[in-house]
């Protein structure tokens, strides 16, 4: 039954709802999922606002395309993949205004006898269909596709494909290069907030928008002696986007500081601010850091995407064994769960994903963060402000009087914070926190070095998990590697006889990944669950090596071993995992990473 948007739509919708099959039944019938997988998804979705399809995707059981295909069958609609397959009808984007396409993420397919075939991604958004019918003044025939496919097609046709960086300069068609600016002039008319056509305003808006569409995590504006370098960090690797003229430096920096709400006249001390900006009908937050440098202030914009912390624990990179163990740990009533790793290793994403699972009406969750990167409904989030005495320790003490079930401490930085977190764990609270150590066993010795009593460390910690983010091979261009480099295989512990039986792949490079060969990232983990042996070693201040060996005997899989699984499966390369191998192994093999 085609979902119509004529008068009496409510009646038609109710009739269709009574007649249509459930999406789970359709997916089982198509052989996409099993009854057991559907049962697990229904249980996970109960008591939450999530749909079964969303849960199935989070659990990695099926992809968005399979879900939308099932929705199309459920509602009696047509489905189009938008992948340019032979025989697939080509959309005509000239049928409706471009701003409507961008704003509502829709694509017009064709128009016959005043009836417009319109590609949408949500069949239940009846208000949108009514709005479009009124604005476009014609009948609509909705056709389903995935939101990702629609966005990719719009970007491709508009010359803004999301993961390809243009090689053209940003300055040529954004700024009048003939206009001379004095290097000493920090503010001029080109950064006026009310003048949206000003050259600098257009330039800044353009590179921010381009960065968001290219999956960039950080935008770096770095003044040099004779130029301003603009770099994007994509999948953890910095790429130079453009060299901007030195004369534009004052106006660019002033514009960014104005947008971030910081003092544009102050250039001697570091400043932090935030920008909220709409990109492709989505509100994106940017955390802005300004730091004085020799040739001028260096500015970094960290792009904070709300969806990035709601991708589901399964999609972060957990192997099934670690996933099951982690799910048990976050449901414990008390104790400390530490996540360790360097800056940018995905610790925040992992902890927020855990909180997203625990965020239920019957639990009170409080966080102390510096800064608050993502806002969550139903969670009490406290921002650390050292300048007014609102420190981690002050917030933690106040938290314990709020009777929470779950506490998140952004980072354990000193003994005072560690002591309060441990006391909270020992008095019946579940505490999540992060620590900057190289691996999981090092967290025990680090806490003891801070001055925490060994018996408190041994009794309060439930588990310690180290993680790193590794790049994934581009699925569109990766090929099987029949002769991988033996040096890297030796570092990650892959024996020669394992190679023929595996699916080891290598990077190639294509237009989809910007000729890099990698696209997207996942985490590798090292999870050490505390047992009696490890607790005894911690109590006796045992050396790090002994704690590590005890962890391995207890079932801990090291970072390299977890990466090895992903190499043999063809997800990444031995070279990528080797970056996180022991330094001694790299030096012994004379490997340059």
């Amino acid at each position: 039954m085609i979902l119509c948007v004529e008068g009496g739509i409510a009646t038609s919708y109710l009739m269709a709802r009574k007649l249509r099959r459930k999406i789970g039944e359709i997916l089982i019938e198509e052989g996409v999922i099993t009854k057991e997988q559907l049962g697990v998804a229904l249980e996970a979705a109960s008591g939450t606002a999530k749909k079964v399809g969303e849960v199935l995707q989070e659990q990695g059981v099926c992809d968005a395309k399979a879900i939308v295909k099932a929705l199309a069958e459920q509602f009696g609609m047509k489905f189009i993949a938008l992948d340019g397959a032979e025989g697939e009808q080509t959309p005509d984007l000239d049928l409706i205004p471009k701003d409507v396409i961008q704003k509502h993420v829709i694509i017009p397919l064709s128009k016959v006898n005043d009836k417009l075939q319109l590609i949408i991604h949500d069949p239940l958004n009846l208000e949108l269909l009514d709005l479009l019918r009124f604005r476009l003044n014609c009948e609509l025939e909705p056709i389903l596709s995935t939101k990702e496919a629609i966005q990719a097609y719009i970007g491709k046709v508009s010359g803004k494909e999301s993961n390809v960086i243009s090689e053209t300069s940003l300055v040529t068609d954004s700024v009048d290069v003939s206009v001379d600016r004095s290097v000493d002039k920090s503010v001029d008319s080109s950064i006026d907030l009310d003048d949206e056509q000003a050259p600098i305003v257009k330039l800044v808006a353009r590179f921010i928008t381009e960065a968001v569409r290219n999956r960039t995590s950080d935008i770096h504006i770095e003044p040099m002696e004779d130029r301003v370098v603009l770099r994007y960090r994509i999948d953890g690797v910095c790429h130079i986007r453009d060299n901007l003229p030195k004369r534009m430096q004052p106006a660019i920096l002033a514009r960014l500081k104005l947008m971030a709400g910081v003092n544009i006249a102050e250039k001697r001390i570091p400043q932090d601010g935030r920008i909220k900006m709409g990109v492709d009908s989505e509100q994106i937050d940017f955390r802005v850091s300004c730091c004085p440098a020799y040739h001028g202030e260096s500015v970094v914009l960290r792009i904070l995407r709300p969806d990035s912390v709601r991708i589901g624990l399964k999609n972060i990179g957990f192997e099934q064994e670690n996933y099951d163990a982690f799910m048990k740990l976050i449901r414990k009533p008390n104790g400390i769960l530490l996540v360790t790793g360097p800056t940018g290793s995905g610790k925040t994403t992992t902890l927020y994903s855990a909180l997203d699972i625990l965020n239920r009406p019957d639990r009170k969750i409080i966080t102390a963060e510096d800064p608050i990167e993502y806002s969550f409904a139903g969670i009490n989030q406290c921002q650390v402000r050292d300048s007014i005495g609102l420190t981690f320790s002050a917030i933690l003490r106040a938290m314990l009087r709020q009777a929470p079930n779950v506490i998140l401490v952004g980072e354990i930085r000193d003994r005072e914070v560690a002591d309060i977190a441990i006391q909270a764990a020992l008095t019946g609270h579940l505490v999540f926190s992060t620590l900057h150590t190289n691996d999981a066993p090092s967290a025990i010795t680090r806490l003891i070095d801070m001055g925490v009593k060994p018996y408190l460390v041994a009794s309060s910690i439930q588990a310690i998990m180290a993680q790193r983010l590794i790049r994934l091979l581009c699925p569109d261009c990766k090929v099987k590697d029949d002769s991988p480099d033996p040096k890297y295989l030796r570092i990650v512990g892959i024996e020669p006889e394992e190679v023929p039986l595996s699916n080891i792949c290598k990077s190639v490079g294509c237009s989809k990944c910007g000729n890099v060969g990698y696209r997207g990232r996942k985490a590798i983990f090292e999870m050490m669950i505390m047992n009696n042996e490890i607790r005894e070693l911690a109590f006796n201040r045992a050396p790090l090596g002994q704690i590590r060996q005890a962890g391995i005997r207890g079932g801990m899989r090291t970072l390299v071993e977890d990466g090895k699984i992903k190499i043999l499966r063809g997800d990444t390369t031995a070279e990528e995992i080797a970056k996180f191998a022991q330094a001694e192994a790299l030096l012994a093999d004379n490997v340059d990473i």
Side-chain angles (χ1 to χ4, degrees):
M1 175 176 179
I2 299 295
L3 184 68
C4 73
V5 289
E6 296 294 329
I9 187 168
T11 305
S12 301
Y13 172 65
L14 290 172
M15 288 175 61
R17 193 170 185 179
K18 290 177 182 178
L19 295 172
R20 68 174 186 254
R21 292 184 297 159
K22 294 182 178 179
I23 190 170
E25 296 172 0
I26 297 171
L27 290 168
I28 291 172
E29 186 180 299
E30 294 291 329
V32 177
I33 64 172
T34 63
K35 288 183 179 180
E36 291 75 18
Q37 290 171 330
L38 177 61
V40 172
L42 287 170
E43 185 180 349
S46 63
T48 73
K50 292 182 179 178
K51 299 174 184 175
V52 177
E54 293 176 0
V55 176
L56 287 168
Q57 288 182 67
E58 286 180 2
Q59 294 176 344
V61 175
C62 59
D63 58 16
K65 187 175 180 180
I67 296 292
V68 177
K69 271 188 174 180
L71 279 173
E73 184 172 339
Q74 185 183 34
F75 285 94
M77 294 181 175
K78 296 177 184 176
F79 173 82
I80 185 168
L82 288 175
D83 56 3
E86 188 176 348
E88 185 177 275
Q89 188 176 351
T90 304
D92 185 357
L93 268 63
D94 294 327
L95 291 173
I96 63 177
K98 298 292 187 294
D99 63 318
V100 175
I101 292 173
Q102 293 279 358
K103 182 177 180 180
H104 300 296
V105 195
I106 56 175
I107 295 177
L109 189 62
S110 65
K111 190 172 185 179
V112 181
N113 297 329
D114 204 35
K115 177 178 278 191
L116 178 66
Q117 287 188 320
L118 196 65
I119 303 172
I120 63 173
H121 60 85
D122 184 2
L124 291 174
N125 195 344
L126 305 178
E127 291 182 6
L128 173 62
L129 292 173
D130 272 337
L131 175 69
L132 292 171
R133 174 176 168 268
F134 176 77
R135 175 164 181 181
L136 302 174
N137 193 27
C138 64
E139 293 182 40
L140 300 180
E141 180 186 343
I143 296 172
L144 283 186
S145 187
T146 65
K147 186 176 182 179
E148 294 75 15
I150 294 173
Q151 289 175 328
Y153 188 89
I154 293 171
K156 184 177 180 181
V157 172
S158 305
K160 305 167 184 172
E161 193 160 7
S162 62
N163 46 13
V164 178
I165 300 178
S166 169
E167 294 182 0
T168 59
S169 173
L170 289 163
V171 177
T172 51
D173 55 354
S174 298
V175 180
D176 182 3
V177 295
S178 65
V179 177
D180 188 21
R181 308 278 186 206
S182 170
V183 175
D184 296 325
K185 194 174 181 182
S186 61
V187 183
D188 57 42
S189 61
S190 71
I191 61 164
D192 187 355
L193 275 174
D194 297 326
D195 187 2
E196 293 186 359
Q197 300 305 312
I200 295 297
V201 172
K202 289 165 63 180
L203 170 65
V204 171
R206 180 177 175 185
F207 70 66
I208 290 177
T209 302
E210 181 186 70
V212 171
R213 289 172 177 157
N214 279 280
R215 303 179 298 107
T216 301
S217 60
D218 301 273
I219 305 172
H220 298 258
I221 299 94
E222 301 167 333
M224 300 295 170
E225 185 178 3
D226 56 348
R227 66 193 186 283
V228 178
V229 178
L230 174 66
R231 300 200 294 171
Y232 298 159
R233 187 181 294 277
I234 302 174
D235 293 336
V237 178
C238 278
H239 302 270
I240 293 180
R241 172 59 183 94
D242 206 350
N243 289 306
L244 306 174
K246 184 70 175 178
R247 55 190 168 77
M248 292 179 184
Q249 176 181 320
I252 291 172
L253 297 183
R255 171 62 181 167
L256 287 168
K257 291 166 76 172
L258 206 59
M259 293 172 71
V262 301
N263 185 357
I264 63 173
E266 181 58 74
K267 303 176 183 178
R268 301 164 299 170
I269 59 174
Q271 296 186 86
D272 294 313
R274 289 182 87 101
I275 297 173
K276 184 180 280 290
M277 178 175 163
V279 178
D280 294 336
S281 73
E282 185 180 6
Q283 283 295 317
I284 305 291
D285 274 337
F286 302 84
R287 196 176 77 204
V288 184
S289 171
C290 306
C291 182
Y294 187 71
H295 295 294
E297 288 177 284
S298 173
V299 179
V300 177
L301 282 71
R302 166 67 62 89
I303 301 174
L304 306 174
R305 295 178 174 84
D307 292 341
S308 67
V309 291
R310 292 187 173 92
I311 61 175
L313 275 175
K314 200 70 174 285
N315 297 323
I316 290 175
F318 280 107
E319 300 300 327
Q320 190 62 47
E321 184 182 345
N322 280 342
Y323 175 76
D324 294 339
F326 190 77
M327 290 298 288
K328 288 179 183 177
L329 287 167
I330 65 174
R331 287 189 165 90
K332 284 184 176 288
N334 63 289
I336 295 180
L337 173 60
L338 286 175
V339 180
T340 74
T343 302
S345 59
K347 301 188 298 296
T348 301
T349 300
T350 300
L351 289 178
Y352 275 158
S353 297
L355 289 185
D356 198 33
I357 293 172
L358 298 174
N359 187 16
R360 300 290 179 265
D362 60 335
R363 291 192 186 97
K364 183 177 178 72
I365 302 174
I366 306 182
T367 73
E369 303 172 62
D370 184 21
I372 295 173
E373 294 191 354
Y374 302 97
S375 175
F376 276 79
I379 295 179
N380 301 275
Q381 295 174 269
C382 303
Q383 167 76 55
V384 171
R385 297 185 188 278
D386 290 324
S387 59
I388 60 171
L390 192 61
T391 60
F392 271 119
S393 56
I395 293 174
L396 272 172
R397 287 193 184 92
M399 275 183 183
L400 297 178
R401 295 193 290 272
Q402 297 270 316
N405 300 104
V406 182
I407 295 172
L408 169 66
V409 184
E411 182 186 344
I412 294 179
R413 295 177 178 174
D414 52 43
R415 178 183 173 178
E416 187 179 13
V417 175
D419 281 337
I420 300 171
I422 286 171
Q423 291 302 323
L426 294 174
T427 52
H429 303 86
L430 181 61
V431 180
F432 295 141
S433 191
T434 67
L435 200 63
H436 288 286
T437 61
N438 290 328
D439 54 19
S442 299
I444 292 177
T445 55
R446 174 86 176 97
L447 287 171
I448 294 172
D449 288 343
M450 279 184 183
V452 180
K453 298 289 190 294
Y455 71 89
L456 291 176
V457 174
S459 58
S460 62
I461 294 177
Q462 294 283 2
I464 304 165
M465 187 173 72
Q467 70 177 73
R468 300 288 190 280
L469 287 179
I470 51 105
R471 292 184 297 170
L472 298 177
L473 286 165
C474 174
D476 292 296
C477 64
K478 69 177 182 181
V479 296
K480 190 169 173 54
D481 191 356
D482 296 321
S483 55
D485 192 327
K487 285 191 301 185
Y488 291 110
L489 295 182
R490 186 162 58 252
I491 290 170
V492 298
I494 296 177
E495 301 297 332
E497 55 268 21
E498 293 181 85
V499 176
L501 304 174
S502 67
N503 188 38
I504 296 177
C505 296
K506 62 182 178 181
S507 60
V508 178
C510 65
S511 59
K512 295 287 183 67
C513 60
N515 293 315
V516 176
Y518 296 91
R519 193 173 75 197
R521 289 191 293 176
K522 279 193 176 181
I524 55 174
F525 298 96
E526 179 177 275
M527 187 182 296
M528 187 176 77
I529 300 174
M530 298 291 280
N531 56 31
N532 290 335
E533 183 184 4
I534 299 173
R535 292 185 198 279
E536 187 70 25
L537 290 171
F539 181 77
N540 293 319
R541 298 175 181 261
L544 177 60
Q546 290 185 26
I547 297 174
R548 168 170 283 277
Q549 290 305 314
I552 292 172
R553 284 194 296 274
M556 180 183 78
R557 184 191 296 137
T558 66
L559 287 168
V560 176
E561 287 169 348
D562 197 45
K564 176 182 171 180
I565 296 172
K566 293 172 173 61
I567 296 168
L568 296 175
R569 197 166 54 216
D571 293 343
T572 188
T573 61
E575 292 91 333
E576 188 70 13
I577 299 299
K579 294 178 183 178
F580 308 107
Q582 296 299 321
E584 291 82 2
L586 298 179
L587 292 171
D589 283 282
N590 195 26
V591 175
D592 181 24
I593 298 295

Short mmCIF file of all heavy atoms in Angstrom, two decimals, residues 23-40:
data_model
loop_
_atom_site.label_atom_id
_atom_site.label_comp_id
_atom_site.label_asym_id
_atom_site.label_seq_id
_atom_site.Cartn_x
_atom_site.Cartn_y
_atom_site.Cartn_z
N ILE A 23 8.64 -5.17 10.99
CA ILE A 23 9.92 -5.14 10.27
C ILE A 23 10.79 -6.34 10.61
O ILE A 23 11.51 -6.88 9.77
CB ILE A 23 10.66 -3.81 10.56
CG1 ILE A 23 11.87 -3.66 9.62
CG2 ILE A 23 11.10 -3.74 12.02
CD1 ILE A 23 12.49 -2.30 9.68
N GLY A 24 10.69 -6.81 11.86
CA GLY A 24 11.47 -7.99 12.26
C GLY A 24 11.07 -9.23 11.48
O GLY A 24 11.92 -10.03 11.07
N GLU A 25 9.76 -9.40 11.24
CA GLU A 25 9.28 -10.54 10.47
C GLU A 25 9.82 -10.50 9.05
O GLU A 25 10.20 -11.53 8.48
CB GLU A 25 7.74 -10.54 10.46
CG GLU A 25 7.11 -10.73 11.83
CD GLU A 25 5.61 -10.54 11.78
OE1 GLU A 25 5.08 -10.27 10.68
OE2 GLU A 25 4.95 -10.65 12.84
N ILE A 26 9.84 -9.30 8.46
CA ILE A 26 10.32 -9.15 7.08
C ILE A 26 11.80 -9.50 7.01
O ILE A 26 12.24 -10.22 6.10
CB ILE A 26 10.07 -7.71 6.58
CG1 ILE A 26 8.57 -7.41 6.54
CG2 ILE A 26 10.69 -7.50 5.21
CD1 ILE A 26 8.23 -5.96 6.28
N LEU A 27 12.59 -9.01 7.97
CA LEU A 27 14.03 -9.28 7.95
C LEU A 27 14.33 -10.76 8.14
O LEU A 27 15.26 -11.31 7.53
CB LEU A 27 14.72 -8.46 9.05
CG LEU A 27 14.77 -6.94 8.82
CD1 LEU A 27 15.22 -6.22 10.09
CD2 LEU A 27 15.71 -6.58 7.67
N ILE A 28 13.55 -11.44 8.98
CA ILE A 28 13.73 -12.88 9.16
C ILE A 28 13.37 -13.62 7.88
O ILE A 28 14.08 -14.53 7.44
CB ILE A 28 12.87 -13.38 10.34
CG1 ILE A 28 13.41 -12.84 11.67
CG2 ILE A 28 12.83 -14.91 10.38
CD1 ILE A 28 12.53 -13.12 12.86
N GLU A 29 12.27 -13.21 7.26
CA GLU A 29 11.83 -13.85 6.02
C GLU A 29 12.85 -13.69 4.89
O GLU A 29 13.07 -14.59 4.09
CB GLU A 29 10.48 -13.25 5.58
CG GLU A 29 9.85 -13.93 4.37
CD GLU A 29 8.53 -13.29 4.01
OE1 GLU A 29 7.62 -13.30 4.86
OE2 GLU A 29 8.42 -12.77 2.89
N GLU A 30 13.51 -12.53 4.88
CA GLU A 30 14.52 -12.27 3.85
C GLU A 30 15.85 -12.96 4.17
O GLU A 30 16.77 -12.93 3.36
CB GLU A 30 14.76 -10.76 3.71
CG GLU A 30 13.57 -9.97 3.20
CD GLU A 30 13.26 -10.27 1.75
OE1 GLU A 30 14.19 -10.59 0.99
OE2 GLU A 30 12.07 -10.20 1.38
N GLY A 31 15.97 -13.54 5.35
CA GLY A 31 17.20 -14.22 5.74
C GLY A 31 18.30 -13.28 6.20
O GLY A 31 19.46 -13.66 6.31
N VAL A 32 17.92 -12.02 6.52
CA VAL A 32 18.91 -11.03 6.96
C VAL A 32 19.30 -11.27 8.42
O VAL A 32 20.46 -11.14 8.80
CB VAL A 32 18.36 -9.60 6.78
CG1 VAL A 32 19.36 -8.57 7.29
CG2 VAL A 32 18.04 -9.34 5.32
N ILE A 33 18.32 -11.61 9.26
CA ILE A 33 18.57 -11.88 10.67
C ILE A 33 17.90 -13.19 11.07
O ILE A 33 17.08 -13.72 10.31
CB ILE A 33 18.07 -10.73 11.58
CG1 ILE A 33 16.53 -10.60 11.48
CG2 ILE A 33 18.75 -9.42 11.25
CD1 ILE A 33 15.93 -9.63 12.49
N THR A 34 18.21 -13.66 12.26
CA THR A 34 17.57 -14.85 12.80
C THR A 34 16.58 -14.45 13.89
O THR A 34 16.60 -13.31 14.38
CB THR A 34 18.62 -15.81 13.40
OG1 THR A 34 19.27 -15.15 14.51
CG2 THR A 34 19.67 -16.19 12.35
N LYS A 35 15.75 -15.40 14.31
CA LYS A 35 14.79 -15.12 15.38
C LYS A 35 15.50 -14.78 16.68
O LYS A 35 15.05 -13.93 17.45
CB LYS A 35 13.88 -16.34 15.59
CG LYS A 35 12.87 -16.56 14.47
CD LYS A 35 11.96 -17.74 14.78
CE LYS A 35 10.94 -17.95 13.67
NZ LYS A 35 10.05 -19.10 13.95
N GLU A 36 16.63 -15.45 16.92
CA GLU A 36 17.39 -15.18 18.15
C GLU A 36 17.93 -13.75 18.16
O GLU A 36 17.88 -13.05 19.17
CB GLU A 36 18.56 -16.17 18.28
CG GLU A 36 18.13 -17.61 18.56
CD GLU A 36 17.55 -18.31 17.33
OE1 GLU A 36 17.79 -17.81 16.20
OE2 GLU A 36 16.86 -19.32 17.50
N GLN A 37 18.47 -13.31 17.00
CA GLN A 37 18.99 -11.95 16.91
C GLN A 37 17.88 -10.91 17.09
O GLN A 37 18.09 -9.88 17.73
CB GLN A 37 19.69 -11.75 15.56
CG GLN A 37 21.00 -12.52 15.43
CD GLN A 37 21.56 -12.50 14.02
OE1 GLN A 37 20.81 -12.42 13.03
NE2 GLN A 37 22.88 -12.57 13.90
N LEU A 38 16.70 -11.22 16.55
CA LEU A 38 15.57 -10.30 16.72
C LEU A 38 15.16 -10.24 18.19
O LEU A 38 14.88 -9.15 18.71
CB LEU A 38 14.38 -10.76 15.87
CG LEU A 38 13.10 -9.94 16.02
CD1 LEU A 38 13.34 -8.49 15.61
CD2 LEU A 38 11.96 -10.55 15.20
N GLY A 39 15.17 -11.39 18.87
CA GLY A 39 14.82 -11.41 20.29
C GLY A 39 15.76 -10.57 21.13
O GLY A 39 15.32 -9.82 22.02
N VAL A 40 17.07 -10.67 20.84
CA VAL A 40 18.07 -9.87 21.57
C VAL A 40 17.85 -8.38 21.32
O VAL A 40 17.90 -7.56 22.23
CB VAL A 40 19.49 -10.28 21.14
CG1 VAL A 40 20.52 -9.34 21.75
CG2 VAL A 40 19.79 -11.71 21.55
#
